[in-house]
Every structure is written in structure tokens, then in C-alpha cells.
Amino acid sequence: MKEAEIRRLLAANLLRVFAVILTVVFPPFFWDGFTVLGTHLAWLCICSGCVSTLNIILYLVFKPNLTPKRSSFAQKISRFLKCCIYFFMSCILFHAIIVLYGAPLIESVTETFLFAVLLSTFTTLQCLCMLGPNIQAWIRVFSKNGAVSIWESSLQITTLGSILGAWFGAFPIPLDWDRPWQVWPISCSLGATFGYVAGLIIAPLWIHWNRKQLTYKSR
Amino acid sequence: MQRWPVLLFLAWVCFLFFAGIGLFMSGFLLTRIELASSSSCSDPLVPPPWERQSLPPGSCWAPQRFSKAVLVIIDALRFEFAHFNPAKASPLPFENKLSFLYHLATSQPHHARLYRFRADPPTATMQRIKGLTTGSLPTFIDVGSNFATYAIQEDNLLAQLVQNGRRVVFMGDDTWEGLFPKKFFRSYFFPSFNVKDLHTVDDGILQHLYPTVDSGEWDVLIAHFLGVDHCGHKHGPDHPEMAKKLTQMNEMLRALVDHLGNDTLLLVAGDHGMTETGDHGGDSEKEVNAALFVYSKTPLFGTGPPEEPEAVPQVNLVPTVALLLGVPIPYSNIGEVMAELFSGDGDAVSAALKQLSVYHINAKQVDRFLHSYSLVAQDLPAEQLQRLQELFTDAVKEHTQLLAQVQEVTLVPPELQSRLRSLISRFQLYLREARAVCTQSWARFHPLRMVGGCTLIAASCLLCYVASELAVASDSFYRSCLLYPLLWGLVVALLVGLAHAFMPEGLDLLLVLSWAAAASQLGFFWHWWGRHPKRARLAGSQPPLPSIGLRQRLRAHWDGRLTVPEGPKQQQLLGFSSYRREIWYLLCLVAVLLVCVRLSGFFHQCREEIPQCRPSLFLSPLASLRNTRAKNLFYLLCVALLAGLVYAVRSWLRHYGNLNSSDPLVLFVRWGFPLVVLCIACYWAVASSADDSLGKLQELVQVAVVAFPWAVYGLASVGLLLLLCNPMTVFAKDTRESAGSIVTPYLGVPSSEVDFLHVIPQIYKRMQESQKSRLERGSCKATVAAYGLGSVYSAALVIALTLLGFLLMLLHSERLSLAFLLLFLEAFVLLHIHTHARGLAGDAEPFSVPWYAVISWLLAASQFFYSTGHQPIFPAIHWNAAFVGFHLDHSTNLLPAVLVGANTFASHILFAVGCPLLLLWPFVCETSSSQKRKPKKETREEQQEAEEHMMEMRLRESPEKFSTALLQLGLKYLFVLGTQLLACVCAAMILRRHLMVWKVFAPKFLFESLGFVVSSICLLLGISLVMRVDCAVSTWFSQLQFR
């Protein structure tokens, strides 16, 4: 059972990685002059769009948080709206945090906001898909020993990976190397993406290696 | 409580660090004293009178050979660039490009010659320009009269030329503008900073060069081309661009020579070379090997060129050019004249006589310089100076003899020639040795000392860490970890001192101190090693030492349960809801912290390496604002925030009951603080008002500008003195009976109704009191309510910090007070985060400050160094601070140094003094975590204490732990500071040959080490303030007992 579940997780995560790679490789066939560095904003949009679409599809396919009781259509709609509001709020919140961490306040607002959207896609959207708009559950998952399934462990790892990646991505910005990728927010968004991808790959492996220690209490 | 051992321990650790810093600095920072004297035409160095009579008009010291000179400096012209080898079949891009020089040298061997031009390290352009004009070896710190500008204060070639009425025209690199302000007759400066730009400077020069040369309105023309250097930085020497650039230079020289007249000397020089990657700054062969080319249309040399081009030290250019142009040699020159340029076209004897006379002048000048330098500085070794002196005297004596013989014509040419030659070689020997001595002491690092200093600092860091883990307040600890190491250090210091005293070179205090520091460190580690394994071994079996510790801990636990039932236990009982509330509170605090950090970024100063950076608007004083409305608004904002700070401090003190008593200190806080703010506000108002708008009030303003700062200084020092004299801000309400003193001033017999009316209530009151006292004695209820005892330590620190904050704000420009407010806010938030994080974690050990708190505190200190508008570079120092309260005159150098230092290290000072708050704050905040009770009562009875909040009195309960905690905190702080310092020291040591070492790493190291010194001293002051309060509390308690 567990092995099969890990395999399913691995498949899902590899799909996500594939989607991220696709956003880099695929668009140049349609769009002359598309590069990740040159047309960074476009790439940000495409990447967030692809990853979120894939996440939603995966959610619809796997349905990780099966609620035992059937919910009505109205409830579903309200849940969906709530999710949208949460996502938007998380974008705003990420934007504020990024600005507090030193991003320019007035200049390049679009860049900062799109970067916030990307970060939200990597973190909040997954949480929303996995846990629903339920803050209590989020706090539980992200507190110590809070994960109750391999999906939630994977969620922890990828979220942490993307945020750490974004943070480390800011390191080369002040250096005087005069590289094109040192421009705000390219290094940060690349860092976040690398962190996300690394988290996606590491999560199943880590769970596989630690499967003896990981004994999840049932909910 | 053991006060002195703690302070002594910390002071000893500080001393270890200082010794390390001093040792490293002596090996790393090449220093030299700049002499203010300058040569002049009438100096008594001139040759004997019979030669002087032949001196043509307009010449000084030696006859002028050329009336005009063109100095073309091609930045980074390596010797290989200028050398032409026709045999080479396939030259590299930088080879064989200056063919014109080769053409001149071969077609006119008596007119032109190419030399290897040896630059002295550091081979950075600015230092090289200094060397090329002063004839000296510029070091990192040329201790001169003025730090504020880069301008050369020393006597130099340009100053001599200007002084003697020559017109100097300059074009090219704008570094010269900073070095020689207002020296040029005419100048065309072009920006030099952008290394990527190969053409702006060169094209600019070429545009002006030929018209200027043709106009003839100049005596000396200097053109500094930067293209070759920039090309090296951008592409490296081995690149087609370099070939293009050198070809351009070749064409330029060809055209220039066509424009020159017969009376003009042309010098083409590279200021330094470059490495294979195109960098420079160090002392590798390729960097110091530049080219010098000399040419004139009249014959210069008596003999043909040597096979291999001669190597000439760069400083030699200065005396040569000075004497050729007939101006005095700059005072501090240590170069040697290039004698073959003076030989002229006469026969061998007259040529040799001419050379001898310039050597003589040169030697006399160098001797004079060495003499006056040795009077002001001791860094040149005495015995070598002595030897040089002997060399010089002998040579001069022989010179006089020889001249006398020449006049009497007693010598025949062959003998004369050989004697002349030997004398010349003696002068040469003298000059070369003198230069070698100077180079030895000014231009060489001492790697051994650097490594030693670095090791000392690293070992001190380790010691701090070990000691902070180990510290216990026991006599054995202090004996083995403080007393014995100190003794070791003293013994070694004595031994080394004695050994040095018997050595010929005399006592080097720094070395003795470093040996003492190293020895005491060894002592510490030795004793620690001796204690350590024993402890570990004993811990396994039946341990006597840990058992004591255990018993102590048990007792402490028991005490804690007895006296404080709602201590850590209560925190464990915190429910989930309060846990969540705490988390939200903590998150809010973190958000506020982030906002503070972000806002503090608005006050940053710029480094010159970042051209697109704009310095913060808040750095300039208000007086420079044009817009009156904005000025007024900012002024009001600053004053309002200042008043807000005072209000916040007062309300904090009131909240904890420290504002109730009528002690002088409390009165000062109540009335003195607003007064200080008023004075500061007035000073700002006066200082920021436009100068001309006041008209007749001008004199009044002059007085006010000085008077208000002095009022603030005075008030602040009064406050600090009061704080030292009586730091208790406790109001004691004694409800024990005050034994029957006469309550009323009863004067004689009651004579009237009124008097009776007065007396009767008094009697009633008296009766009531005696009743009450009897009652109380029965139930044993006599208590003393002490308001503010629970926060007495922090109150003293907060008052001290506020006063210091006022002083430091006064030293900064007006709008930086906003940054100071942010500083106080951030420190407050940090303390709260620390307290709450600790409460959440349920820390079992309340007496030790966790590492993260210390590190964040220090990071904040560094952050606000930058956010109060400072940068670790010399031009960014706020020199204005020296004149707050002084009207442009200082009798000593000490006071302005203190003022500027306080300005620069403001945040270091504040955070270091406030460091003990990290320990105290959790105790102060004890009440606010549970329900609030306004008057905190402390009673002498144990029983009652159990019910009350102990707050900081918990520290007094266990004085050993308190002193250990202070020691630990100090050691942790010093450890983190020391680690920062160590990183800077390592960077400076490893990168000492880096291109940017004198611009980035050395200043950073200097600022960091000064900051360390300031921080550690302020840390000691802060801790001793806490100890002073502790003393006062003890006496207060004993007085209470006697009452």
C-alpha cells in the first residue's frame, strides 16, 4: 500500500517537474525570441499558469483529501471561491513580504507581483489543493510532526524548498558580475523554481528512505 | 555577587582581542607620517657659491636644462608594450605596437632612451600618482593633517612647479582633480571610474592635446591616458582591442613629437604594469614593470644606449624632472636623480662634475628628509639611520675636498676622473640604501605579524566560546581560568620585556603585549584542558563536582517552587488558545521587525564603487534644503518624534513604577529629558535656518549654535553622573510605624482657637497611628512597598541608553534622528521577540541568553551602522560631527576624534551598552505575560514574596547565577563580535594583493576593528552599570534593614 502510494507520489511529482521543464523548452517553438532570461515576465506567467493547471488537474484526478460526506454544489462553489480568495490573498501577502525583504517598493511592481504569484503557485496553491481552505489544517501540517500522510510530507518539503530557493536566489543580486540573470527578480524566481523542482524530486526519495521511521497517525 | 572577577575576566578577553588587532595592524597597515614641510628655492642645500654664481635666472638649486616638459602617462603601460623587437615574426596583440618609440631611439640614440620603470607596490593608480609626484612611497595611511580629502598634503612636484611660477596644464584622468585641487593653470578632466569605457578619456585628451601644445600657454603639460588600462581590465592584454589601443597611442606620440619645440622634454611613462588578466594593485613582476621613455629634440645623453634597457625606480623621476626644470626637489623625495640626463654635451670631466653636483644636491635633500622624518616618527630603524648618516658625512667631506682640489687644479684628468667616479658611486650607494631602508619599513607587509595577529584573534574567539560554555561563578573557576592565565601572561611579559631591554633594538611594547596575550591564552587553555577531562571522568563515577552542581540546582528548584509558584510551571500550563495568541503576537512582532529593517534601508549612504546608487536624502542637513515648507515639515517631524521618544521612555518607566520616587535621577528623567529635547530642538532650529535670512541676529545665532549643544552635553553628563551616583529609581513606601516623632511643629502654648483647630486633628492622627502600629505588630504585617524595584536594573540601562541616544542624535544630521528612532524601536521589538520566543519554548534555564538573541542583537548593531548613514570608507565619515558645539577651532585632536568616533560608531555604542537588557528583559516582562498589577510590591518577608512578582529581583535571589549570566552574556557578545572581526581580518590578509584592497578590504578591516574596540569598551561599561545598580540595591536593602 505504502509503496504504491509513494510510487503515485513520485509519478505526480515527476509530472510537475516535467511541466516546469516544458515551460522552458516548449514556448520557443511558437514564439520567436522567447528565452527565460529575455522575456522573463512571460515565462513567469506561463510557468505559474502551467504549474497551477497541472496541480488542479492532478487534484481532480487523485482527490487526495476525500471528504467522507458528500457536499452540495453550493458548498463546492463556496469552497472554490474561498480558495480563489485565499490564493489572491497569499499573492498579496507574498508581495508584501518580498517588499519587506528588500524588493523595490515602487519600481518594477509587475515583476515583484508576478514573482509573488509564482511563489504562491508553488506553495499556496498546492496547499489549497491538498488541504482545502482550512487554516487549521495548514497550521497542523506546518507545525512539528504535523504531517499525517506522505502527500503532506511532500507538501512540506516542496514548500520549504521553493521558499528557501527564492531566498538563496537573492544572494547573487548585489554582486558586481554584471550578468543578465542578476536582474530582479530573475535570480529569485529561478531560485524558487529550482528549489521547487528539487523539493519535488527529493520528497519521494526522502519518504522512501525514511519510510521505516515515518509512521503516520491516522486522522 | 562577584563583580570584580566578572569585569576583570571580560577586560582580559578584550585585551586579548586588542593585542591580536594591534599585532595584525602593525603587520598589515603600512603607515608613514606625512611631513608638512616643503622645499623652497632659498633652502641652504644649494651647491657651493662658485657654482651658484653660474645658476641662470629662473633656476633653483641646479641650472635649468629645459624650460618646458610634456609628461604623457599611459596608464598600465607595461614595459613589454613599449618594447619593440623587430626580430619577432608573429607578435602578440600587445607587442611591437609602439614602433615610433623604437624608431626614435634607434635613429637618435643621444636624444631618446627607453627604460624599465619599476613601480613600487601598491600598484594602484592613485598611489602611483602620489609616488610620481611626491617622490615618496605612498602607503595605505599617509598620516597627514587632513583625512577628509584625498588631496596630497605633502610637498610634491606640482606644488613646486606652481610655487615657482610654472604653468601646469593637465588633461585626462580625473583622479588628479581630487589629488591636486586648484593646482592647474588649465585642466581637462574626464571621468575615470567606468572601466568598461575605453575611449572617453583618450578621445577627450586627443581633442585638446595638440591645440594646447601649439598655443604655447604652458610650461608643463601632463596628459594621463586611461584607455590601455581600461582595455586591460575589460579584455586583458592579449586581445585585439589592446592592439588597437596601443596603435592609437603610437599615432598620438608620433603627432605629439611633431608639435614639440627644441626646449621641450618629452616623458612617456606607464604608472604600473598589468597581469595576464589585466589587473594590477599587487607587486608581481608584471605589475611593477612599467615603461619610461625620454626624448628631447636637443641631445640628452653623452653616451649611446646600453644593450639592455636600464631599470629605473619610479620615484627617480621626481628629482630628475625637478632639477631638469630648475625647481627644488620636493621635500619628502627619496628618489635618486637619473644622472645621465644631466651630463650634457661637454667632455667626460665636466659631465662627471655636473652629475656630481646634482647627486650632491639630491643626497643633501634626502638626508634632510630622513633627519626630519626621524624626529617625528620612530618607524625607521635607528642604527640603519646612523649608518646612512655616516655614509653621507663621508661622501660630503670627500666632495668638499675634491671640489677644492678641482679649483686649485691640482689633479690631472685620469686621476680626477677615477676619483669623481668613485665619489659618484658613493653618493649613489647612499641614495640607494636610503631608499631601501624606507622601502623596508613602508612598503612591506610583515606576514609573520599578520599571521600572529590572526591566530591571536582566532584563539580569543575560541576562548570566548569555551569560557561561555564553561562559566560558573566559583572561586576555582576564576582561579584557574582567570588568575593563573593572568599570572602566566605577566610572567611572560616580564621575561620578554627584560629580554628586549637587554637587546640592542629596544623595547617594542606591542610585541611584549602580544606575547603576554598569547601566554595567558595558553595558560587558559592549559588549565581548561586540565579541568576538562577530570570533569568528564568524574562525571561517570561518583562525581563530587557535579553533585555540588546538582545540589545547587535542586535547591534552586526548590526555592523556585517555594517563592515563585507561577514560574516555568505556569508556562507549561498555557492553554492552546493562549499558545496561539502568543504565536500571533510573535508574528506581529516579526512583521514589525521586518518593517523596521526595510525602513532603515532608506538611510543608506553610497559607496563610490556603485555609480548608479543615490545617497539617501535624509543624510544632508536640513540647512541644505531649499524648499522651506519641506524643511519646516521635516523639522517638526523630527522634533515630534524626539518628544515621542521621551514620552515612550517615560511611560515605560511609569508603567514599571520607576517614576515615583523623588530622587534626583527620577527628577532628572521627569524634567531633564524634556529640557534636553528642547535644547536639541532649538539647536536644530538654529543650525538649519538659512544663514543670510537672519541679518542682525547673526551674532546671536553664532552664540546659539555653540551654546545649545553645550547645554545638551552638560545636561546629558549631569544625567549620567546622577545615574552613577544613585541609580536607584525605587520609591519605597514604609508602612512600618515611624516611631513617635513629633508630628506637628508645636510652638509654645496654644494661644488661639486656630491653633487648637490645628492641634486636635494631629492628636487624633497620632492616636490612630499608634493603634494601627500595635495592630500591625500583633499580626506581623509590617511591610515595605517598593515601587519599581522589579525593573530597577533595566530602568537604569534604559535611562542611560536614552541619554546616549540624545547625545548621538545631536552629532548626526537632523533627519537621521528618524533612523535612531527606528533603532530604538527595533531594539525594543528584538527584546520582545526574544522574550516571547523564550516563553514559547518554555526555556528551563532563564539565566542564559540564547545564541540567536545575541547574534540578532549584533546583526542589528551592524545594520544600524549602515542605517545611520555610514559606510566603511573614509570619504563617508561625517566630519561635521567634530564641529557640533565648536566653532571651527579645536585646540587638541582628541575631542574631535571622540566626537567623530561617537558619530561613526553610534549604533555599536548603543547596542553594546544595551546588551545586558537581553538578560534582564525576560524578567521584566514576567508580569505582562500574566495579569497586570500596577504597583509591584517587594517585601522583606519571604512569605509575601512568594505571592508577588519577583521580576529582576529573581536575579538578586541567586547572585552567583546573576554574575555568571552577565559573564556568559559578555563572552557570547564578544565571541560573535570577534567572529565578525576575524572574518574581516582573514579577508584583509588573504586579499592583501587584491586590486581593491586599499579601497575595500583595508578600510573595512579598520572600521571593523575600531568598531570592535568601541563595542567591547561600551559592553564593559554597560555591564559595570548593571553592577553599579546591584551595589546600590544591596545598600538599599541593608539600609532598609537598619531602619
Side-chain angles (χ1 to χ4, degrees):
Chain A
M1 175 60 200
K2 210 170 182 183
E3 283 300 317
E5 193 138 1
I6 291 175
R7 230 167 280 136
R8 260 156 53 107
L9 176 70
L10 183 67
N13 280 0
L14 284 183
L15 264 181
R16 292 189 180 111
V17 173
F18 187 64
V20 172
I21 293 171
L22 217 60
T23 58
V24 179
V25 181
F26 201 56
F29 292 114
F30 293 97
W31 182 356
D32 267 348
F34 175 91
T35 50
V36 175
L37 299 185
T39 51
H40 191 69
L41 289 186
W43 178 76
L44 278 180
C45 295
I46 293 171
C47 187
S48 338
C50 278
V51 171
S52 41
T53 325
L54 183 76
N55 269 331
I56 291 166
I57 292 170
L58 283 175
Y59 161 72
L60 291 177
V61 173
F62 283 102
K63 290 207 188 305
N65 60 337
L66 279 173
T67 38
K69 58 175 186 290
R70 291 264 157 217
S71 49
S72 69
F73 185 68
Q75 271 174 325
K76 275 182 181 167
I77 289 293
S78 86
R79 265 169 67 91
F80 178 72
L81 283 180
K82 237 180 163 179
C83 281
C84 288
I85 291 168
Y86 270 47
F87 183 75
F88 188 67
M89 269 169 58
S90 108
C91 290
I92 301 281
L93 197 67
F94 266 119
H95 189 107
I97 291 174
I98 292 164
V99 167
L100 281 182
Y101 266 81
L105 180 65
I106 298 159
E107 298 117 55
S108 53
V109 177
T110 332
E111 281 88 344
T112 312
F113 188 74
L114 283 179
F115 176 49
V117 171
L118 185 81
L119 265 184
S120 307
T121 316
F122 288 159
T123 56
T124 321
L125 189 76
Q126 273 198 314
C127 293
L128 283 171
C129 289
M130 212 81 85
L131 309 166
N134 179 0
I135 295 287
Q136 296 295 339
W138 292 25
I139 290 178
R140 172 180 58 76
V141 170
F142 287 105
S143 53
K144 207 176 174 187
N145 298 327
V148 294
S149 69
I150 57 167
W151 298 93
E152 291 179 359
S153 295
S154 160
L155 190 65
Q156 282 179 343
I157 292 169
T158 49
T159 308
L160 200 70
S162 348
I163 288 176
L164 276 185
W167 190 59
F168 280 113
F171 276 52
I173 292 179
L175 302 179
D176 63 340
W177 297 345
D178 288 343
R179 299 296 140 143
W181 47 265
Q182 279 180 301
V183 181
W184 171 253
I186 297 180
S187 62
C188 283
S189 51
L190 289 186
T193 314
F194 281 126
Y196 178 64
V197 169
L200 285 176
I201 295 168
I202 288 168
L205 301 178
W206 186 80
I207 291 166
H208 179 73
W209 275 318
N210 291 301
R211 62 187 181 279
K212 294 272 151 47
Q213 285 87 343
L214 290 171
T215 46
Y216 297 112
K217 279 174 268 174
S218 63
R219 256 181 272 182
Chain B
M1 173 163 176
Q2 289 160 308
R3 300 193 184 96
W4 288 112
V6 171
L7 282 182
L8 199 61
F9 199 101
L10 288 176
W12 171 60
V13 173
C14 289
F15 159 74
L16 296 182
F17 275 110
F18 293 169
I21 293 172
L23 193 62
F24 182 82
M25 218 181 250
S26 74
F28 175 70
L29 282 189
L30 318 164
T31 52
R32 182 173 69 97
I33 311 264
E34 275 185 6
L35 298 182
S37 335
S38 60
S39 309
S40 82
C41 221
S42 53
D43 281 339
L45 294 179
V46 286
W50 66 276
E51 261 183 273
R52 186 171 169 72
Q53 277 147 17
S54 68
L55 217 59
S59 304
C60 281
W61 292 21
Q64 178 186 26
R65 279 205 71 186
F66 293 94
S67 60
K68 289 185 163 191
V70 177
L71 174 59
V72 176
I73 295 177
I74 300 176
D75 211 285
L77 184 71
R78 207 161 96 188
F79 179 74
E80 284 77 21
F81 297 179
H83 190 57
F84 190 89
N85 186 1
K88 204 139 198 171
S90 56
L92 292 171
F94 59 84
E95 280 176 332
N96 288 359
K97 287 297 176 293
L98 296 184
S99 56
F100 181 64
L101 298 185
Y102 177 72
H103 165 74
L104 281 181
T106 45
S107 64
Q108 299 169 294
H110 289 265
H111 295 250
R113 193 167 288 179
L114 181 69
Y115 294 94
R116 286 180 188 275
F117 203 32
R118 308 284 302 182
D120 302 291
T123 50
T125 296
M126 196 174 84
Q127 267 84 5
R128 285 305 92 228
I129 295 176
K130 276 192 177 182
L132 274 173
T133 53
T134 59
S136 186
L137 302 170
T139 54
F140 173 55
I141 301 182
D142 295 334
V143 185
S145 50
N146 192 354
F147 257 120
T149 65
Y150 283 126
I152 296 183
Q153 312 282 319
E154 249 180 333
D155 192 14
N156 57 65
L157 198 56
L158 265 91
Q160 286 301 339
L161 287 167
V162 172
Q163 201 175 313
N164 290 286
R166 307 294 207 280
R167 293 165 293 178
V168 184
V169 175
F170 179 83
M171 45 191 74
D173 185 352
D174 61 358
T175 315
W176 290 69
E177 188 180 13
L179 291 175
F180 303 100
K182 301 195 192 100
K183 281 279 192 300
F184 299 110
F185 177 70
R186 193 179 301 147
S187 52
Y188 307 94
F189 295 117
F190 302 99
S192 63
F193 193 76
N194 188 359
V195 178
K196 304 272 158 72
D197 175 12
L198 303 188
H199 301 297
T200 308
V201 179
D202 293 4
D203 293 348
I205 298 173
L206 289 177
Q207 197 187 338
H208 292 108
L209 182 62
Y210 308 122
T212 312
V213 171
D214 291 337
S215 76
E217 286 187 333
W218 53 277
D219 294 307
V220 175
L221 193 150
I222 303 172
H224 192 147
F225 290 88
L226 279 179
V228 175
D229 181 49
H230 284 186
C231 182
H233 283 301
K234 193 177 174 188
H235 303 292
D238 208 356
H239 193 274
E241 275 298 320
M242 185 60 93
K244 275 190 212 161
K245 208 70 226 178
L246 287 171
T247 316
Q248 184 194 15
M249 290 296 114
N250 194 38
E251 294 310 312
M252 178 273 293
L253 289 171
R254 193 191 300 275
L256 180 62
V257 165
D258 288 343
H259 287 262
L260 293 182
N262 284 338
D263 56 347
T264 309
L265 174 72
L266 171 68
L267 297 156
V268 181
D271 58 345
H272 50 75
M274 61 170 74
T275 60
E276 284 307 306
T277 52
D279 296 321
H280 56 89
D283 63 349
S284 70
E285 178 59 29
K286 287 195 165 129
E287 287 163 275
V288 300
N289 201 1
L292 171 69
F293 181 78
V294 186
Y295 172 76
S296 134
K297 290 199 170 166
T298 50
L300 268 171
F301 302 96
T303 54
E307 283 290 298
E308 180 64 19
E310 206 183 331
V312 178
Q314 213 170 49
V315 283
N316 290 10
L317 193 69
V318 175
T320 313
V321 172
L323 292 182
L324 282 176
L325 293 176
V327 296
I329 304 176
Y331 195 91
S332 323
N333 162 62
I334 54 165
E336 167 198 340
V337 285
M338 294 155 68
E340 63 267 33
L341 284 167
F342 292 88
S343 50
D345 41 4
D347 63 339
V349 174
S350 74
L353 273 175
K354 275 181 185 163
Q355 292 185 1
L356 191 61
S357 83
V358 289
Y359 269 123
H360 182 235
I361 296 172
N362 192 193
K364 270 195 151 174
Q365 171 265 326
V366 169
D367 179 64
R368 179 180 66 169
F369 167 68
L370 286 182
H371 183 68
S372 24
Y373 189 83
S374 64
L375 288 182
V376 292
Q378 271 73 46
D379 51 353
L380 296 179
E383 74 270 25
Q384 291 194 11
L385 281 177
Q386 182 69 33
R387 213 175 69 79
L388 284 173
Q389 184 68 40
E390 281 161 17
L391 266 178
F392 174 72
T393 348
D394 290 352
V396 167
K397 206 184 288 166
E398 182 160 349
H399 182 233
T400 345
Q401 275 175 8
L402 192 69
L403 281 188
Q405 285 169 342
V406 169
Q407 252 177 338
E408 292 156 17
V409 204
T410 49
L411 287 171
V412 283
E415 197 200 340
L416 179 65
Q417 248 178 345
S418 70
R419 282 195 57 188
L420 279 174
R421 213 171 294 131
S422 83
L423 188 55
I424 285 178
S425 65
R426 285 174 76 166
F427 273 122
Q428 270 178 347
L429 179 73
Y430 167 72
L431 288 168
R432 280 174 198 173
E433 295 226 338
R435 205 171 65 84
V437 167
C438 293
T439 313
Q440 189 81 35
S441 94
W442 295 336
R444 295 270 176 276
F445 294 116
H446 297 283
L448 206 63
R449 286 191 169 204
M450 286 161 74
V451 171
C454 201
T455 323
L456 260 183
I457 294 173
S460 310
C461 280
L462 185 67
L463 187 147
C464 275
Y465 181 75
V466 166
S468 72
E469 293 293 305
L470 184 89
V472 277
S474 66
D475 283 337
S476 75
F477 170 74
Y478 286 121
R479 207 180 311 123
S480 70
C481 291
L482 178 63
L483 188 63
Y484 293 152
L486 276 182
L487 286 179
W488 279 51
L490 272 181
V491 168
V492 170
L494 274 180
L495 284 179
V496 176
L498 278 179
H500 267 273
F502 288 115
M503 296 278 239
E505 68 250 31
L507 198 72
D508 186 351
L509 195 64
L510 192 72
L511 270 186
V512 174
L513 289 181
S514 322
W515 277 113
S520 62
Q521 259 175 358
L522 271 182
F524 174 85
F525 285 116
W526 173 266
H527 286 285
W528 168 69
W529 197 249
R531 274 166 70 98
H532 195 65
K534 199 163 67 192
R535 274 183 122 199
R537 202 178 56 235
L538 285 172
S541 59
Q542 189 65 322
L545 242 154
S547 81
I548 293 168
L550 196 67
R551 209 180 301 143
Q552 268 175 354
R553 210 174 306 142
L554 266 180
R555 198 176 60 213
H557 223 77
W558 188 71
D559 282 351
R561 213 168 22 193
L562 178 79
T563 53
V564 224
E566 77 282 73
K569 222 163 80 180
Q570 180 209 22
Q571 271 149 11
Q572 282 158 17
L573 295 177
L574 278 176
F576 186 67
S577 65
S578 74
Y579 187 75
R580 266 186 60 191
R581 207 178 55 227
E582 283 281 288
I583 283 192
W584 280 115
Y585 190 56
L586 203 59
L587 276 181
C588 288
L589 284 175
V590 170
V592 176
L593 178 73
L594 275 178
V595 171
C596 281
V597 172
R598 186 73 174 93
L599 286 180
S600 71
F602 288 121
F603 299 94
H604 278 197
Q605 172 79 282
C606 281
R607 295 183 69 98
E608 61 176 332
E609 284 87 356
I610 308 167
Q612 71 272 19
C613 164
R614 293 273 158 272
S616 160
L617 292 174
F618 298 101
L619 293 175
S620 56
L622 272 183
S624 66
L625 267 188
R626 289 286 158 76
N627 186 348
T628 329
R629 261 190 67 176
K631 192 194 266 189
N632 290 343
L633 268 178
F634 271 121
Y635 176 74
L636 285 180
L637 180 68
C638 291
V639 173
L641 286 177
L642 207 56
L645 176 69
V646 170
Y647 178 75
V649 168
R650 281 184 50 166
S651 54
W652 186 86
L653 289 173
R654 191 177 302 121
H655 173 78
Y656 286 104
N658 291 88
L659 220 51
N660 291 327
S661 87
S662 53
D663 281 342
L665 179 63
V666 177
L667 288 182
F668 184 82
V669 173
R670 280 161 164 262
W671 304 113
F673 276 18
L675 203 60
V676 172
V677 170
L678 191 70
C679 284
I680 295 180
C682 289
Y683 170 67
W684 284 348
V686 175
S688 62
S689 63
D691 276 338
D692 45 347
S693 66
L694 289 156
K696 283 183 182 173
L697 291 174
Q698 199 72 314
E699 285 164 22
L700 199 67
V701 168
Q702 298 279 325
V703 173
V705 159
V706 176
F708 283 121
W710 273 102
V712 178
Y713 294 151
L715 279 172
S717 42
V718 165
L720 289 174
L721 272 180
L722 284 178
L723 190 65
L724 275 185
C725 291
N726 184 11
M728 294 293 290
T729 48
V730 176
F731 175 55
K733 202 159 91 186
D734 208 337
T735 51
R736 292 176 297 176
E737 51 126 8
S738 45
S741 62
I742 308 264
V743 196
T744 169
Y746 184 70
L747 299 165
V749 194
S751 56
S752 68
E753 196 90 356
V754 186
D755 277 340
F756 276 113
L757 277 178
H758 182 66
V759 166
I760 288 168
Q762 295 286 352
I763 293 171
Y764 173 71
K765 206 173 167 189
R766 177 75 185 275
M767 279 166 64
Q768 209 181 15
E769 269 175 7
S770 68
Q771 282 264 316
K772 205 167 123 195
S773 73
R774 206 178 305 135
L775 269 174
E776 278 176 356
R777 205 174 296 133
S779 63
C780 208
K781 261 283 185 188
T783 60
V784 177
Y787 293 83
L789 190 59
S791 57
V792 60
Y793 295 104
S794 342
L797 273 176
V798 166
I799 292 171
L801 282 178
T802 319
L803 279 173
L804 282 176
F806 285 143
L807 279 180
L808 296 173
M809 269 186 231
L810 186 71
L811 294 179
H812 283 78
S813 75
E814 294 88 350
R815 280 178 287 176
L816 281 179
S817 57
L818 306 179
F820 275 91
L821 268 136
L822 270 183
L823 182 150
F824 281 113
L825 181 63
E826 190 176 321
F828 185 76
V829 169
L830 272 178
L831 286 171
H832 267 282
I833 288 177
H834 162 52
T835 309
H836 283 274
R838 204 164 162 161
L840 273 184
D843 206 340
E845 184 56 82
F847 281 96
S848 84
V849 180
W851 281 103
Y852 69 82
V854 180
I855 291 173
S856 58
W857 195 250
L858 256 165
L859 283 180
S862 305
Q863 176 210 337
F864 276 101
F865 170 75
Y866 293 97
S867 297
T868 45
H870 297 288
Q871 282 284 345
I873 42 173
F874 289 112
I877 295 178
H878 301 179
W879 299 102
N880 290 336
F883 300 108
V884 175
F886 295 90
H887 211 262
L888 296 178
D889 53 333
H890 277 293
S891 46
T892 60
N893 276 333
L894 187 69
L895 201 59
V898 167
L899 290 176
V900 172
N903 172 297
T904 306
F905 298 108
S907 79
H908 290 85
I909 293 173
L910 287 176
F911 277 95
V913 171
C915 178
L917 283 178
L918 284 175
L919 175 67
L920 302 173
W921 209 261
F923 294 102
V924 174
C925 289
E926 214 172 59
T927 41
S928 50
S929 63
S930 60
Q931 78 270 49
K932 286 198 171 109
R933 240 181 265 176
K934 250 298 162 67
K936 280 112 214 146
K937 288 182 188 169
E938 289 296 327
T939 62
R940 279 170 57 234
E941 275 78 17
E942 293 272 314
Q943 286 289 308
Q944 253 174 342
E945 259 177 308
E947 291 155 18
E948 298 298 338
H949 294 289
M950 303 271 300
M951 294 171 70
E952 286 177 356
M953 285 305 109
R954 216 185 285 288
L955 292 162
R956 266 197 65 79
E957 285 291 293
S958 43
E960 292 87 25
K961 276 189 157 184
F962 186 22
S963 66
T964 316
L966 278 179
L967 178 63
Q968 253 178 357
L969 177 66
L971 286 172
K972 281 181 176 175
Y973 198 79
L974 283 177
F975 171 75
V976 182
L977 260 182
T979 319
Q980 269 184 353
L981 178 72
L982 185 66
C984 286
V985 165
C986 287
M989 186 168 75
I990 295 165
L991 298 169
R992 65 183 182 279
R993 297 295 181 204
H994 189 271
L995 167 68
M996 282 292 176
V997 66
W998 304 118
K999 278 203 128 160
V1000 178
F1001 301 105
K1004 173 73 183 154
F1005 158 70
L1006 264 187
F1007 274 80
E1008 195 69 37
S1009 51
L1010 272 178
F1012 180 88
V1013 172
V1014 172
S1015 290
S1016 53
I1017 291 172
C1018 287
L1019 176 76
L1020 280 179
L1021 289 181
I1023 288 180
S1024 34
L1025 179 63
V1026 173
M1027 305 225 162
R1028 172 73 192 93
V1029 180
D1030 193 60
C1031 274
V1033 173
S1034 301
T1035 45
W1036 185 81
F1037 270 111
S1038 59
Q1039 274 173 4
L1040 213 59
Q1041 244 148 12
F1042 282 125
R1043 210 183 279 169

